[in-house]
Amino acid sequence: DRLRLMVYDWSITNPGPIAPNFWVKSVVAYSTTVAKVPPKKLQLGVPAYGRHWWTKQNASETCPDGALKPVDSITMRETSGLASLHGVTPVRHSSGELTFSWTERVTGSTKLPPPYVAPTTHVGTVRTAAAATGLKPAVRLGTTRTVTCTVKHVVFVPDATTVRTNAQTALTAGWSGIAVWAFGYETAALYAQLNTIAPQRPNTAPAISLDAPVATAGRLRVTGTAIDGRFDLPVPVRITATRIGTSTVIPHTTVANVSRAGLPASIGPFHGFAQTFTLTAGSYRVCASMLLWGGVAGPPAATCPTVTVP
């Protein structure tokens, strides 16, 4: 129903942007011109987090054990606090993201290996069988020393402006929207920025419409639209054909994900449904209703037309 591309984690091993705008543009261009995915089924995954790297500034120095930590994640919410804590001001990088850095001198202990001594003998053949208990854990020999090094901290993180710019890139290409990873990482400023981008979701109540059913010999085709204006994704539809004069109900459940002309641009065309029944000849009352998230019954279509199957 939708293809959400996670266009982030451009930089992991080495310091750099998480979702640089030049990369986002190239992915958008590839997906719409080479992969030829229908644009209104595409959604851009954007990050609301960045990364924090610890690197050794001077190659000649030896850092204490544990001074160089693995790369860490930082959310948009945490950005200003971390920058303020170290007295630095984030600046806009050419990638469109914010970046800042600082250094610190770290002193601690490390265990250095003993100097290498070349062996004086050579063994050509091993005549003793391996121990049945296997190898024992390695023991690191050496001397514990106190060392000092300069650790450089580098942070790259998107902000509300970054997300708006990348979202605009997707919308300009006709994509149906963005998906932010993850809810709770963002700041309130993100929504203020996204409110400046059109189109917005209609945010209307769920609604379903039913076209006039088309009957042919032994078959009935039912079409219509079903839209939950609060979301972009398609919704399930329950269709029933009740034979007149009986209690026989023939149910079908489908998904409103068929392309349909004339729908609002802000939700895309993929909210139509089309279902074909195989029925015995007779008259039927045809009804349709939406199913909301979790299978909860939603609103029914305004009318339940009667149609005769030849």
Side-chain angles (χ1 to χ4, degrees):
D1 296 319
R2 296 294 182 272
L3 178 60
R4 289 176 171 168
L5 300 180
M6 304 192 303
V7 190
Y8 41 85
D9 283 350
W10 171 265
S11 303
I12 297 179
T13 304
N14 297 312
I18 310 305
N21 188 248
F22 67 83
W23 181 43
V24 172
K25 289 180 177 179
S26 68
V27 171
V28 169
Y30 178 87
S31 300
T32 53
T33 61
V34 181
K36 298 188 184 302
V37 180
K40 284 299 181 183
K41 283 185 176 279
L42 284 165
Q43 294 179 342
L44 179 68
V46 298
Y49 70 91
R51 295 195 186 277
H52 172 192
W53 288 266
W54 285 258
T55 61
K56 185 168 64 171
Q57 180 161 285
N58 302 315
S60 60
E61 295 179 336
T62 300
C63 288
D65 293 341
L68 302 178
K69 300 179 182 179
V71 59
D72 191 19
S73 296
I74 173 175
T75 68
M76 287 172 58
R77 286 187 175 185
E78 298 169 322
T79 302
S80 61
L82 182 61
S84 297
L85 178 64
H86 296 282
V88 293
T89 301
V91 297
R92 184 76 55 191
H93 186 256
S94 59
S95 65
E97 296 186 355
L98 298 180
T99 185
F100 55 96
S101 63
W102 69 94
T103 59
E104 64 173 333
R105 293 288 286 173
V106 181
T107 299
S109 62
T110 185
K111 179 169 281 190
L112 299 177
Y116 174 73
V117 178
T120 57
T121 58
H122 175 77
V123 178
T125 303
V126 178
R127 302 182 182 281
T128 304
T133 56
L135 298 175
K136 295 182 181 297
V139 177
R140 187 176 185 187
L141 303 176
T143 305
T144 299
R145 289 173 44 188
T146 299
V147 293
T148 299
C149 78
T150 301
V151 175
K152 184 174 183 179
H153 298 259
V154 180
V155 175
F156 276 85
V157 62
D159 66 346
T161 300
T162 310
V163 174
R164 185 205 66 211
T165 301
N166 289 341
Q168 187 64 68
T169 298
L171 292 179
T172 300
W175 290 26
S176 70
I178 66 172
V180 179
W181 184 267
F183 185 62
Y185 293 177
E186 80 288 1
T187 61
L190 174 63
Y191 300 107
Q193 289 280 3
L194 293 180
N195 279 337
T196 67
I197 299 179
Q200 299 290 315
R201 299 277 180 258
N203 202 33
T204 52
I208 183 172
S209 65
L210 184 62
D211 303 327
V214 177
T216 56
R219 296 170 73 84
L220 181 67
R221 184 165 178 79
V222 180
T223 60
T225 61
I227 299 173
D228 188 336
R230 300 167 296 175
F231 305 100
D232 168 74
L233 295 174
V235 293
V237 175
R238 174 64 56 84
I239 304 170
T240 58
T242 304
R243 191 178 178 94
I244 301 298
T246 72
S247 59
T248 302
V249 178
I250 302 171
H252 280 242
T253 301
T254 186
V255 178
N257 61 359
V258 177
S259 181
R260 179 87 177 219
L263 298 182
S266 57
I267 60 170
F270 300 101
H271 295 279
F273 62 88
Q275 185 74 37
T276 300
F277 292 73
T278 299
L279 299 174
T280 58
S283 295
Y284 295 85
R285 183 171 181 261
V286 181
C287 298
S289 61
M290 290 177 60
L291 295 177
L292 303 180
W293 303 114
V296 177
T303 60
C304 292
T306 298
V307 60
T308 300
V309 177

